Amino acid sequence: MPFDLPVQCAYSAVEEASNLLTPIAGGAATAVAIVLATALVRLLLLPLTFRQIGVEKRRAALAPRVTKLRDKHANDPVRAMTEVSALYRAEGVGTLTTMGPMLLQAPFFLTLFSLFRLPAVGGSPNELLSRELGGVPLGDHWLDGSLLGVHSAVFVGLFGLFVVTATVSARRLRRLGQPAWLSFTPYVSIAFAVTVPLAAVLYLLTSTVWTTLENALLRDRLVPPNDVALGSS
């Protein structure tokens, strides 16, 4: 597995953080460590986020020129797409430049996600998954326990937070004038969370909440909403 070493390093870091947090968080120390580890990685990746926002601003500034090109070739969609792509490449905001920061972040996300769902790390059982949150092992899936009682309550509570976060994201997409079908995409994370262990649910939820706050506090403030809508249309 290409992420063996990074996963082992992440395992050691989360395990150490869990030990340090035990006097404060008790049995929920590992769950808290997972949340903090996810937030720390997102914090360390902020420079890439700012770089991506910078690219988005430059693309947004090109919106009037993009509109002219599309109007000019309104009867030839293929030509219009080619001309717009050429403009983006010439201005250094092509697809590769836009996706670059996101692709650079992918190994970090894959490492953490793998850590919180693999049954074994470095040939030994993943002890993190045997720790608990509210009496529910972090390695448990939603359907592993009773649908009534504490087990289900913990998962349903987390899924409820997913719904709130997804709703905020969906409203943002509608506000930006994105196609209606895109407003349903934030809810995909909920369907995915239902299929993974509790530890991975915590990771996904923390990362999703971080992204929502990032959009509200950074992207929407640094890139005017109207420009974002024009630049991504």
Side-chain angles (χ1 to χ4, degrees):
M1 177 180 172
F3 290 100
D4 275 349
L5 181 58
V7 168
Q8 290 180 43
C9 292
Y11 180 90
S12 298
V14 174
E15 179 73 6
E16 184 62 29
S18 178
N19 292 335
L20 292 173
L21 289 166
T22 296
I24 303 172
T30 301
V32 174
I34 289 173
V35 172
L36 293 179
T38 306
L40 177 60
V41 168
R42 295 302 302 261
L43 182 63
L44 293 175
L45 291 174
L46 268 182
L48 290 177
T49 299
F50 279 112
R51 176 177 173 79
Q52 191 171 24
I53 290 174
V55 172
E56 291 172 3
K57 290 179 66 177
R58 287 157 59 193
R59 284 176 69 98
L62 294 172
R65 295 171 64 182
V66 169
T67 299
K68 288 182 180 179
L69 285 174
R70 287 174 174 166
D71 290 342
K72 180 179 179 180
H73 303 289
N75 297 323
D76 189 348
V78 175
R79 176 68 182 279
M81 185 181 301
T82 301
E83 293 289 340
V84 170
S85 296
L87 172 62
Y88 283 153
R89 286 196 300 273
E91 297 294 334
V93 292
T95 302
L96 183 60
T97 306
T98 305
M99 298 296 293
M102 185 182 300
L103 294 176
L104 288 173
Q105 294 178 42
F108 295 93
F109 297 150
L110 288 174
T111 296
L112 278 181
F113 182 68
S114 296
L115 171 62
F116 302 139
R117 65 182 297 272
L118 290 175
V121 175
S124 300
N126 187 346
E127 297 294 338
L128 297 179
L129 300 184
S130 64
R131 311 292 171 76
E132 298 181 345
L133 173 63
V136 181
L138 295 177
D140 273 15
H141 293 68
W142 178 37
L143 298 179
D144 286 342
S146 170
L147 295 181
L148 297 175
V150 175
H151 184 281
S152 182
V154 170
F155 277 95
V156 170
L158 294 175
F159 295 155
L161 293 176
F162 264 113
V163 171
V164 172
T165 305
T167 300
V168 171
S169 297
R171 287 178 177 174
R172 174 180 181 269
L173 291 173
R174 289 195 293 269
R175 188 174 70 252
L176 295 179
Q178 297 298 322
W181 65 269
L182 276 179
S183 64
F184 293 98
T185 57
Y187 295 97
V188 173
S189 60
I190 304 171
F192 187 56
V194 171
T195 68
V196 297
L198 178 56
V201 173
L202 288 172
Y203 158 74
L204 289 171
L205 178 59
T206 304
S207 190
T208 301
V209 170
W210 184 284
T211 298
T212 302
L213 293 174
E214 206 172 67
N215 287 334
L217 300 178
L218 294 179
R219 280 188 168 83
D220 291 351
R221 288 174 180 266
L222 298 178
V223 184
N226 290 338
D227 288 343
V228 174
L230 288 171
S232 57
S233 60

